[in-house]
Amino acid sequence: MARALINVPKTAKRGEIVEIRAMIAHPMETGYRVGPNGSNIPRDVIRRFACSYDGEEVFWADLFPAVSANPFIAFTLVASTSGVIEFTWTDDAGRTQTASATITVS
């Protein structure tokens, strides 16, 4: 399981533009590197990263082997209502993981 560091402001004013940051601890193996035993290390890349705000998808990105290990993703959104911001990512093996944070809008 990959660990994620999520940075979401705890509070915001309605209509304020807030920055959302996420870093996922993941090796992002391309499948081209050779391991110590001489065989290729199997490909293991996060294919899709998505963010939902109060149940609606507001950001997504398709990632490729050129992305470095431990990808860092930052984007902005408009704080419109208090709710949960949920992050979901899926890797080559089909494993899906999630993380979430709550924002309070006044």
Side-chain angles (χ1 to χ4, degrees):
M1 289 282 173
R3 194 181 87 222
L5 298 173
I6 306 297
N7 188 322
V8 174
K10 297 271 185 211
T11 61
K13 294 183 178 166
R14 189 173 312 281
E16 182 179 359
I17 296 173
V18 296
E19 184 177 38
I20 310 298
R21 292 180 277 179
M23 185 180 82
I24 304 165
H26 194 279
M28 298 294 283
E29 282 295 342
T30 63
Y32 297 117
R33 284 189 335 128
V34 177
N37 62 0
S39 63
N40 285 1
I41 298 171
R43 178 183 153 125
D44 186 15
V45 173
I46 294 174
R47 289 184 175 236
R48 182 170 165 78
F49 173 86
C51 176
S52 298
Y53 177 32
D54 205 28
E56 182 180 338
E57 189 170 271
V58 294
F59 178 85
W60 63 268
D62 289 330
L63 304 178
F64 297 93
V67 174
S68 69
N70 307 320
F72 175 78
I73 299 170
F75 58 96
T76 59
L77 59 82
V78 177
S80 57
T81 182
S82 295
V84 175
I85 299 175
E86 186 170 270
F87 305 87
T88 306
W89 58 96
T90 306
D91 65 13
D92 278 338
R95 293 182 299 258
T96 299
Q97 294 181 283
T98 61
S100 63
T102 302
I103 188 168
T104 302
V105 177
S106 58

